[in-house]
Amino acid sequence: MVRRVAVIGAGAGGLASVKCCLEEGLEPTCFEQSQDIGGVWRYTDSTASRRLSVYRSVITNTSKEMSCFSDFPFPEDFPSYLPHSLVLEYLRMYAQHFDLLRHIRFQTTVLSVRKRPDFTTSGQWEVVTETDGVHESHVFDAVMVCTGHYQEPYLPLASFPGIENRFKGQRLHSREYRDMQAFRGKRVLVVGIGNTGGDLSVELSRVAAKVFLSTRSNTWVISRVSDHGFPLDMMGTTRLNHLLEWLLPSALTRRIKFRKFNSWFNHTNYGLASSKSSKFKMIINDELPFCLLSGTVVLKPNVKEFTESSAVFEDGTTEENIDVVLFATGYNFSFPFLEESVRSAIDDNRSLYKCVFPPQLEKPTLAIIGLIQLTGSIMVGSEMQARWVTGVFAGWNKLPPPSRMVADVSKRKPPVKRNPSERENLKMSFIGYVDRIAVSAGVKPSVLRLLLTDPQLALAIFLGPCSPYQYRLVGRGRWSGARAAILTQWQRTLKPLRTRVVDGNSNSSSSWCWMCLLALPAALTAGLLFSKYPQPGWSPWAGPQP
């Protein structure tokens, strides 16, 4: 019987894990190596410590209504997209509201997590920690690792001949970047066009003499601002869209997406992507197209090699007098404290059962929280994982035998190990993944059942944003405020914009009702199509399954 649980890390995933443990009657102890909560969201000017921090100007890519914990909305006066300071303030509010801080041991580093000699029967772990130079050994019934996937910088220097032994300028990883002041007047080459590479290129273009952005990938650039000025994820991450993506041929859905992306600007003209490419990635950036259009950022292909002061690219062109090379090439995850037999079996999240449990363990008492890449908020996905895991620890949720879990992992695992820049293509559907975990936890709402009992809520769930509150309508951990939170999410989105009211504003609530009525035939048609051509083992309609 699991009682005592070690939680490693007091970031967003760690805080959610502590809360979920308490809700299930477990006894969590959270170990945090720094002096405060927040993880990467707690900004620091220092780059000396091993603790990763966001850069000063970072803004969230997912909106507040789609990123909050499922029973704790962001304050309505917070903007839809948040700077790191407001995310940290929210995490402090969450920890205080649920009285989590007393379960956290700060400035305590976990040195090792090893199976006890009787692990095959007890499932227990020996956890060794260090606080102020003093080592301490603990015994826990279960362990939740909440250190995330932004841990060790991935710096592929071997892929760029000359960068180590010829290039005389400065080189650094984006982990070391804090703000743009140190780059004033310099010629900067940014390597990598993920979200970070795009953000830093735009920011540096304001002070640098010139910014070059090198990429080897076809990349579609998307704005945070969607139709009618609403947040992108609130308009796009809906159960209707998710169902249509499953029903329609992949070639057709890809064509529809590319046309939508090109409606903002033609990506082929900018050298970013072609609609004929089968491999591509998407980044969110509101300013990069203008920087390319104005010439403050120049897009370049992959770097072939470096000389003392220049970069030679694969198309044969050369850019001279490069002062700084900034690698925005992502991160590797690592769990140095886990014993070798466990650590060596984790290549990436596909090595884990449902991206959480190492399947080869005799007892499922170790869970990895937050080692996921989703098309939506990782914070929401991590909370759902924590709810499922603590339900397993408490005996409410059941796992299949290890042999079945190993078989499931083998079926889903990619044939080759990928580097961080390629893992972008392994992003999982936000709704698809969170729904899968919600079904396992018994907390996924049934749209069809709600159509009969609460049509207004059912339409809001199916046609509107798939916000986290949906997973608090049924099952363990049900929240009485979930329905109201869903029906008022658009008002909370608009509230911070109401600083100057002008005549002619339409009533958002009535517009939403009309949109629901107009879309009802489409929803019913989609439901009939799905019932006629069901996919085994998955349903966007079904609630908790026995």
Side-chain angles (χ1 to χ4, degrees), residues 243-254:
L243 177 60
L244 292 176
E245 281 195 24
W246 178 80
L247 287 171
L248 298 175
S250 58
L252 178 59
T253 58
R254 191 182 303 120

Side-chain angles (χ1 to χ4, degrees), residues 67-217:
S67 305
C68 63
F69 293 117
S70 55
D71 57 353
F72 196 74
F74 277 93
E76 64 176 8
D77 59 337
F78 276 29
S80 284
Y81 292 105
L82 304 152
H84 59 78
S85 58
L86 291 184
V87 176
L88 181 59
E89 182 179 341
Y90 170 77
L91 294 177
R92 294 195 194 285
M93 294 165 61
Y94 181 78
Q96 182 178 2
H97 182 80
F98 293 107
D99 195 20
L100 306 181
L101 295 179
R102 63 190 179 92
H103 300 280
I104 304 174
R105 291 183 55 174
F106 292 106
Q107 296 184 309
T108 300
T109 302
V110 174
L111 300 178
S112 68
V113 176
R114 299 184 179 277
K115 298 176 185 175
R116 296 268 290 167
D118 61 347
F119 180 83
T120 55
T121 56
S122 69
Q124 290 183 329
W125 300 85
E126 182 180 5
V127 179
V128 178
T129 61
E130 179 184 2
T131 308
D132 296 329
V134 178
H135 290 203
E136 190 176 355
S137 181
H138 320 258
V139 175
F140 286 97
D141 300 314
V143 176
M144 300 176 74
V145 179
C146 306
T147 52
H149 62 274
Y150 298 114
Q151 295 170 30
E152 300 293 333
Y154 175 67
L155 201 57
L157 300 181
S159 300
F160 300 97
I163 188 66
E164 294 184 272
N165 54 10
R166 276 182 285 172
F167 183 65
K168 302 299 183 182
Q170 180 186 4
R171 74 167 191 260
L172 70 158
H173 188 271
S174 58
R175 178 188 184 277
E176 304 169 70
Y177 182 90
R178 288 297 179 268
D179 60 39
M180 58 187 172
Q181 297 307 321
F183 301 86
R184 187 174 296 277
K186 296 184 177 181
R187 289 168 62 85
V188 182
L189 170 61
V190 178
V191 178
I193 196 177
N195 285 316
T196 299
D199 284 351
L200 299 190
S201 297
V202 168
E203 180 164 292
L204 289 171
S205 71
R206 300 185 179 110
V207 298
K210 200 73 172 180
V211 175
F212 303 96
L213 176 57
S214 169
T215 177
R216 61 182 179 183
S217 306

